[in-house]
């Protein structure tokens, strides 16, 4: 009850507000793009350019998905604990190997010196695949 009464007495005023960026198109237009350092979010399998150029069929166009497919609201967290000559990483990721490799790459050490642990996996529908590594 006290918290509710106190919250009703709060009056927030903003001195300046910029237009909110709500879509990927808005982010591109505003040049508000996160450039992930390193190679942790790049997956390369085969030669896509050659496969596409030699394909007998070509489809061009644009696909747009609602934000629920791009921005998951699950809390993402990662704790990295230095130990003797290695690190233990507790992450809420769905891609343990990717998290291990990302941490090792950032630290400049071999992957086998990073132990990645996850208490539970699931519920993110793929949204927890890479976010916990960033």
């Amino acid at each position: 009850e006290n918290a509710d009464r106190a919250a009703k007495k709060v009056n927030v005023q903003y001195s300046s507000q910029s237009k909110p960026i709500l879509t990927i198109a808005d982010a591109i237009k505003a040049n508000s793009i996160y450039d992930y350092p390193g190679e942790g979010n790049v997956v390369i399998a085969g030669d896509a350019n050659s496969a596409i150029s030699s394909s007998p069929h070509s489809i061009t166009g644009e696909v747009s998905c609602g934000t629920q497919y791009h921005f998951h609201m699950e809390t993402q967290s990662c704790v990295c604990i230095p130990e003797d000559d290695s690190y233990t990483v507790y992450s809420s990721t769905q891609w343990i190997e990717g998290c291990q490799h990302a941490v090792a790459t950032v630290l400049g050490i071999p992957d086998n010196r990073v132990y990645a642990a996850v208490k539970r996996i699931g519920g993110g529908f793929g949204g927890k695949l890479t976010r916990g590594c960033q």
Side-chain angles (χ1 to χ4, degrees):
E1 291 177 19
N2 288 338
D4 288 335
R5 279 197 304 271
K8 289 178 183 176
K9 294 183 181 215
V10 173
N11 181 15
V12 177
Q13 295 180 2
Y14 298 96
S15 59
S16 66
Q17 283 184 286
S18 57
K19 183 179 176 186
I21 297 173
L22 303 175
T23 67
I24 292 176
D26 291 345
I28 292 169
K29 186 176 179 182
N31 198 28
S32 178
I33 300 168
Y34 177 70
D35 185 19
Y36 183 79
E39 55 187 71
N41 67 339
V42 177
V43 177
I44 298 173
D47 184 356
N49 290 331
S50 293
I52 292 168
S53 65
S54 65
S55 173
H57 303 285
S58 177
I59 300 172
T60 60
E62 186 174 303
V63 174
S64 179
C65 298
T67 56
Q68 69 269 24
Y69 295 109
H70 298 287
F71 304 108
H72 296 268
M73 296 182 72
E74 291 93 350
T75 302
Q76 296 294 302
S77 62
C78 180
V79 176
C80 187
I81 302 171
E83 299 184 2
D84 297 326
D85 64 341
S86 63
Y87 294 83
T88 297
V89 178
Y90 297 96
S91 177
S92 57
T93 185
Q94 289 177 307
W95 188 18
I96 300 169
E97 178 188 12
C99 185
Q100 176 193 34
H101 180 69
V103 171
T105 299
V106 168
L107 295 175
I109 60 174
D111 288 12
N112 66 355
R113 289 186 44 209
V114 176
Y115 171 74
V118 176
K119 188 170 184 178
R120 292 179 190 87
I121 296 178
F125 305 99
K128 293 180 179 181
L129 192 61
T130 59
R131 302 272 183 200
C133 305
Q134 300 174 352

